[in-house]
Amino acid sequence: MSGLSSTLSSTWAVQAKAGEPVAVVSVRNLQSIIYAGLDAWGRPHKGQPILISAAISFAQPFDAAAANDCLGADTVHYGSLSKAILEGIREWTIPVQGDYKPTAAEVLDDIWYHLTGKQTEASGGVLAGRIKEHRAPFLSAETKEGIRSLSVTITLPKASLLGSGVSLTATSVFGEPAPLSAVALLLDSLRVPTLVGVNSNERLAKQIVAVSITIEKLGWTSKDFYTELETLVVQTLEESEFETLEALGTHIADTIAVIYSCDSKTEPRGGQPWGRFWDIHVRMEKPTAVPLADCPIVEVRRMSNNS
């Protein structure tokens, strides 16, 4: 199965390999409505807003485009990029019939396919069986030779009950002997009343803690699980009696890893449980803890066994 997360790198590693960009064309928060993924209550087939961002980093400056003041092979037109992205999600902008439950990863994969002509590392080969019309990708072979990296993010801003939304990001570096890719899931800013703190007053009542969970090296899965992940994290926060964010964050990361490595209800890939290959990043903010600052922040990373 091509999408095993053991073949993926972290987003940080891919960005580090790509290096500092010298020229970038990007589109941020292109909007539409899709009938894919789960809504905040875990229901499929519900129309929900989607925001799509894409960034193309080039290996060389826009010398020809700048000198001639016209578009050429050393750049791409952001309007055409936007149209290609919207074409990639066209299938999901109408209600899905039957029992089929398209995932958010499939939406991301379709966009990537329309841009590059290839699937993401998280596809698991599922896209190939659905594609009936093979068309030329937006990025031609000539253009791709000058591209250093590509990143595409889809955000479902209404797919979380207590957070700011759910995002999936695919990133790849081009021009390397071996492909280097990353796929990450972000559950953004879950705001949950939590008992945590070392001061005596903090032991008397719960305070809001905003927790963001990033799952790196996310390989293919035939179902969305971000709503059940949110339930798990919220339950862990509600049961907290920790004094430090360091201990709480480590406990959250370990709980996620154990549940998705051992729970029989989760879906193994290639005989391996999900969590075994993941890098799990927990970011915690306490808005009321420091009066003269927006918030203190503590971050915890639990690296996968194959990191």
Side-chain angles (χ1 to χ4, degrees):
M1 187 174 296
S2 64
L4 278 177
S5 53
S6 58
T7 67
L8 293 166
S9 298
S10 69
T11 303
W12 186 93
V14 173
Q15 292 172 340
K17 187 67 175 180
E20 185 176 1
V22 296
V24 179
V25 173
S26 60
V27 175
R28 184 173 63 197
N29 287 346
L30 190 63
Q31 302 177 43
S32 187
I33 300 292
I34 60 167
Y35 293 84
L38 302 177
D39 72 359
W41 285 269
R43 301 176 299 178
H45 304 146
K46 301 294 182 180
Q48 62 178 317
I50 184 173
L51 306 175
I52 308 162
S53 300
I56 302 172
S57 174
F58 295 84
Q60 301 296 330
F62 299 134
D63 290 338
N68 301 319
D69 195 20
C70 65
L71 299 177
D74 62 340
T75 186
V76 298
H77 191 283
Y78 47 78
S80 299
L81 173 60
S82 300
K83 292 178 182 178
I85 291 171
L86 292 177
E87 179 63 25
I89 67 168
R90 179 167 57 89
E91 179 180 354
W92 311 118
T93 58
I94 57 177
V96 177
Q97 302 299 320
D99 296 330
Y100 179 53
K101 300 176 182 178
T103 67
E106 288 179 75
V107 178
L108 177 64
D109 209 57
D110 275 8
I111 297 170
W112 195 272
Y113 181 85
H114 277 77
L115 293 182
T116 69
K118 297 182 180 296
Q119 297 173 253
T120 67
E121 286 294 316
S123 69
V126 296
L127 177 62
R130 294 192 295 104
I131 291 294
K132 302 295 191 299
E133 181 181 353
H134 293 276
R135 63 187 69 188
F138 169 72
L139 298 174
S140 65
E142 182 181 8
T143 301
K144 280 191 284 189
E145 288 182 0
I147 292 177
R148 182 55 180 161
S149 65
L150 171 65
S151 177
V152 177
T153 299
I154 64 170
T155 299
L156 305 177
K158 301 296 185 179
S160 171
L161 287 173
L162 298 178
S164 299
V166 176
S167 298
L168 274 172
T169 300
T171 311
S172 283
V173 173
F174 301 98
E176 295 293 321
L180 192 63
S181 300
V183 179
L185 169 72
L186 169 63
L187 188 55
D188 192 20
S189 297
L190 297 175
R191 294 177 59 86
V192 182
T194 305
L195 184 64
V196 62
V198 298
N199 297 318
S200 58
N201 57 292
E202 292 181 300
R203 308 313 297 173
L204 299 177
K206 294 184 176 183
Q207 61 183 299
I208 291 293
V209 176
V211 178
S212 296
I213 306 294
T214 302
I215 305 294
E216 292 276 8
K217 303 180 183 178
L218 185 70
W220 174 76
T221 169
S222 63
K223 72 170 187 176
D224 289 305
F225 66 96
Y226 48 80
T227 54
E228 67 180 48
L229 177 62
E230 177 171 339
T231 299
L232 174 64
V233 175
V234 170
Q235 179 181 352
T236 304
L237 290 168
E238 290 176 338
E239 296 173 352
S240 166
E241 294 184 357
F242 290 98
E243 293 190 356
T244 66
L245 289 177
E246 288 82 353
L248 174 59
T250 300
H251 177 63
I252 293 172
D254 288 345
T255 299
I256 294 171
V258 168
I259 290 294
Y260 286 95
S261 291
C262 303
D263 193 328
S264 61
K265 293 184 293 183
T266 60
E267 176 183 293
R269 294 188 299 261
Q272 301 292 341
W274 292 2
R276 184 168 301 175
F277 296 126
W278 289 350
D279 288 352
I280 301 170
H281 175 204
V282 181
R283 175 187 169 96
M284 297 156 293
E285 302 178 2
K286 286 172 63 177
T288 59
V290 179
L292 297 183
D294 287 343
C295 62
I297 302 169
V298 173
E299 301 183 46
V300 174
R301 293 180 184 270
R302 186 189 188 281
M303 312 305 289
S304 62
N305 293 346
N306 66 316
S307 295

